[in-house]
Amino acid sequence: MPSFVKSALAVLAVVSTLVSPPTPSAAETLRINGTGAGLVALRPLVAAFEKENRGVVVDMEKSLGSSAAIKALSRNALDLAVSGRPLKPAESAEGLVQQQWGRAPFAVLANRQVRVTGVSLNELAGMYGTSSARWPGGELVRVVLRPNEDVDTKLTRSMSPEMDRGMSAAQTRKDMLLGITDDEAFELVKKTEGAVAVMALSLPLSQPNAVAVLKLGGVQPSVANVASGKYRFVKEMHLVTRKDASSTVARFIKFLDSKKGRAIAAKHGVLVTGVK
């Protein structure tokens, strides 16, 4: 091959490397998990954040629950955990920090075949306290419980002294349904005739018309009613990170606290109270 041809080909090769688009670098992954009620509210927020941050991919698998996600975070298997409870002292001692995200209405959910629009707190306590309770349509009430140490159980007990006693009675019965996680409990309400449970509103909002959301004491559980003080039963949501959290984690948390982030969260069941 003539030398001038070799030279021309060499120059062409160099030029092609200069004008060719660079190979895209691998996207940064942000690993998030936690309570099911928090994750369903985060999903639309994640979609909006990824749209604005093309170099970031959020990995959010099936819910581990608050405690398991916090443990995974402490072992560097996650970058952020959304928790339905505050950190325990031992968890803080492992270098974890928490920020309050917001409050979700803690709502009474029933199987969609139940033909009532609301219950009173005393009526709800009676459903928990006896095995013979029936809905007005005749269906046997099937209470869906959570583990005794779960935050939802504690929140349900705190609704009133009667609910506390009703919960104690329900936990002694052998006919109770038990959902270990938010997702499991929600699925039990969906598929079980006469089922009832108290859970964060973000879950039914993520699957419209899957269950019935009941008024409690005549008040509809909603973010607006929580904000106004009309509805007083809430589940707090916390964001948990390591002390050495990356700038990407900080950017995501800042997005959650933005005007856009607050609006999306409110639409999906979380009143953002301020990331602080």
Side-chain angles (χ1 to χ4, degrees), residues 125-189:
M127 294 176 184
Y128 275 71
T130 177
S131 61
S132 58
R134 290 185 178 273
W135 295 102
E139 308 98 326
L140 183 68
V141 173
R142 299 295 308 279
V143 174
V144 178
L145 296 178
R146 302 296 299 280
N148 187 48
E149 68 279 4
D150 191 90
V151 65
D152 279 15
T153 299
K154 296 174 182 177
L155 288 174
T156 304
R157 286 184 176 277
S158 71
M159 294 173 79
S160 72
E162 293 77 17
M163 281 299 298
D164 187 28
R165 290 192 290 271
M167 177 65 77
S168 294
Q171 290 184 329
T172 65
R173 288 157 48 192
K174 296 182 179 180
D175 61 328
M176 292 294 93
L177 301 170
L178 180 66
I180 302 299
T181 65
D182 287 347
D183 293 340
E184 287 182 11
F186 187 69
E187 287 300 313
L188 284 170
V189 177

Side-chain angles (χ1 to χ4, degrees), residues 92-109:
S92 297
E94 293 182 347
L96 302 182
V97 294
Q98 69 182 16
Q99 305 174 63
Q100 188 181 75
W101 176 29
R103 295 178 292 162
F106 198 53
V108 181
L109 311 183

